[in-house]
Amino acid sequence: MHPDIRNGWILALHHGVLELRAPGDASGQGLSVVWGHWNVPDGPASLRGQPLGRAIGSRARTAIDATAGLGMDAFVMAAMGLSVRAIERNDWVAALLTQAHAHALADPTTHAIAQRLSVEVGDARERLAVAAPVDVVLLDPMFPPKRKPSAKPPKAMQALAAVVGDDNDADELLALAVRVAMDRVVVKRPRHAPHLADVKPDWSVEGKLLRFDMYRGGAPAG
Ligand SMILES: C[S@@+](CC[C@H](N)C(=O)[O-])C[C@H]1O[C@@H](n2cnc3c(N)ncnc32)[C@H](O)[C@@H]1O
């Protein structure tokens, strides 16, 4: 492929691997996405005790990640044993996500996990409107960073912020997600961020920097 350039950021191949280069990055220094065992350091059982695992609950078997981004959360849910539809609308992010999925399928250590995951390129508002019910819908839309961040965000978050910008239509996802979720909708937010769509959650789980807001699902259990 030819390198694609937007606002100084470049999406290009380096030795056959797709990478996202910040302005000034040399070839090979960009962000490429690989899912692996660093996502699940102590095995799948340990994930259930982490904030995302607690937020999803122990009964969930199926999920839609409606804001898949680089697929970290989708991969972790699949590692917990869930079948996951990962939906991403930004074409650059979707390209990185699709490559990470192909890489995980080809790697014997992640193959079984990656098989439980499907990647879809499109707008989750359209997909949720026609989706079959699932146990859990995860929403993690972009949220504007604090004006004076105490620490520089990780490279992946900086890249997402530059390439995607703000998800100003994120509020629309909540009502759609509630209609598709049989068990719950999980909304991942920075700890001090307001509630999505200004709707108070049924309950929350707080981590050091993050908060998971839970809304009871409205889809009849199948
Ligand atoms: C903060 S990132 C998600 C990070 C992700 N949880 C992870 O683990 O890598 C938010 C992503 O949601 C995507 N997004 C936002 N609204 C969307 C929509 N309506 N449909 C599909 N993707 C959407 C954005 O393009 C962005 O890549």
Side-chain angles (χ1 to χ4, degrees):
M1 74 175 262
H2 292 295
D4 197 357
I5 305 177
R6 294 179 194 167
N7 295 331
W9 287 72
I10 301 178
L11 187 69
L13 285 171
H14 176 73
H15 295 313
V17 178
L18 199 58
E19 65 169 16
L20 179 58
R21 290 181 210 140
D25 273 355
S27 174
Q29 283 184 338
L31 172 78
S32 54
V33 184
V34 179
W35 304 325
H37 283 285
W38 51 268
N39 285 112
V40 274
D42 302 317
S46 69
L47 295 172
R48 294 273 180 189
Q50 302 289 320
L52 178 61
R54 284 172 26 226
I56 283 162
S58 54
R59 290 191 305 266
R61 297 289 172 266
T62 55
I64 294 177
D65 184 343
T67 54
L70 301 176
M72 309 298 178
D73 293 329
F75 182 79
V76 167
M77 288 194 289
M80 283 191 267
L82 279 76
S83 296
V84 183
R85 285 178 65 186
I87 305 172
E88 173 56 49
R89 68 177 168 187
N90 180 279
D91 58 343
W92 274 22
V93 178
L96 290 162
L97 180 67
T98 302
Q99 173 170 288
H101 186 227
H103 188 278
L105 279 172
D107 180 341
T109 65
T110 46
H111 176 79
I113 298 175
Q115 265 198 323
R116 286 195 285 275
L117 206 155
S118 62
V119 172
E120 297 175 33
V121 186
D123 194 314
R125 291 171 301 172
E126 289 161 20
R127 305 289 166 115
L128 287 172
V130 294
V134 288
D135 295 320
V136 172
V137 179
L138 176 66
L139 302 177
D140 175 23
M142 301 295 290
F143 187 79
K146 282 193 270 178
R147 274 222 192 96
K148 284 191 203 152
S150 44
K152 216 173 164 195
K155 191 167 181 173
M157 289 315 296
Q158 290 176 40
L160 275 180
V163 168
V164 176
D166 296 339
D167 290 326
N168 292 320
D169 51 10
D171 285 356
E172 295 172 34
L173 287 168
L174 183 59
L176 289 160
V178 166
R179 281 185 26 216
V180 172
M182 293 185 283
D183 185 32
R184 68 188 70 171
V185 176
V186 174
V187 181
K188 186 173 167 183
R189 307 291 276 164
R191 194 164 167 205
H192 299 294
H195 299 130
L196 192 61
D198 273 334
V199 179
K200 206 166 164 278
D202 293 305
W203 76 103
S204 299
V205 170
E206 279 196 5
K208 226 196 220 160
L209 301 171
L210 292 173
R211 194 182 75 230
F212 292 92
D213 290 338
M214 267 65 74
Y215 300 83
R216 277 194 200 92

